[in-house]
Amino acid sequence: MVRSSKKARRLVADEETYLWSVGHRHHGEQGRYRDCREFLSIRRLGARGRLLIVFQEGAGRLVPDGILHAGAVGTEGSWLNLNEPGTVRALLDEALTGGWQPDDPSTAEVDGWVMFDTVAARRGA
């Protein structure tokens, strides 16, 4: 099952316009959800490439499961709201610093937990 925001939102960063949306994926099995993941999709306006930042549930890392609001990801000590433009900007900046190229026509999938601590510190989460 996939849920995502209905319309891409705009973010202007360093004179470039990006489109982004937040979504949630999981598999249902015998009335229970498993393999929950929250994702943030970003692409630069006019570019073919896309960045998919995925937050997979597990190992003390939490994503929405009907208790938390959609877009919430965190650990027991820190939380990020993927629906906040400031959080999206911080994740975009980290991805660009890490080498993501918006003009690359492929979809780059990144483990969001790798960037979590840095972005949470930047956001004061």
Side-chain angles (χ1 to χ4, degrees):
M1 177 180 197
V2 177
R3 290 184 306 202
S4 66
S5 43
K6 294 180 181 182
K7 185 176 181 182
R9 296 178 263 184
R10 290 179 179 258
L11 175 72
V12 177
D14 299 326
E15 299 182 22
E16 295 285 351
T17 300
Y18 293 87
L19 301 175
W20 61 281
S21 61
V22 176
H24 181 85
R25 288 188 185 137
H26 61 259
H27 300 285
E29 188 175 280
Q30 299 176 345
R32 297 186 56 150
Y33 295 124
R34 63 178 180 80
D35 197 26
C36 290
R37 62 187 67 188
E38 200 72 5
F39 64 89
L40 172 64
S41 177
I42 305 173
R43 69 178 180 86
R44 193 176 71 208
L45 187 65
R48 295 184 330 207
R50 181 171 69 121
L51 173 65
L52 189 62
I53 302 173
V54 179
F55 292 88
Q56 174 80 34
E57 182 179 54
R61 298 169 175 164
L62 306 171
V63 299
D65 60 2
I67 297 171
L68 303 172
H69 67 80
V73 295
T75 62
E76 292 186 21
S78 299
W79 291 91
L80 291 175
N81 183 346
L82 301 180
N83 293 298
E84 294 178 350
T87 299
V88 174
R89 173 65 193 264
L91 287 163
L92 172 63
D93 288 346
E94 281 299 305
L96 290 168
T97 299
W100 177 58
Q101 298 292 320
D103 289 325
D104 183 337
S106 63
T107 296
E109 186 170 319
V110 176
D111 179 356
W113 296 114
V114 172
M115 299 184 280
F116 181 84
D117 290 335
T118 302
V119 171
R122 184 181 303 171
R123 299 282 298 150

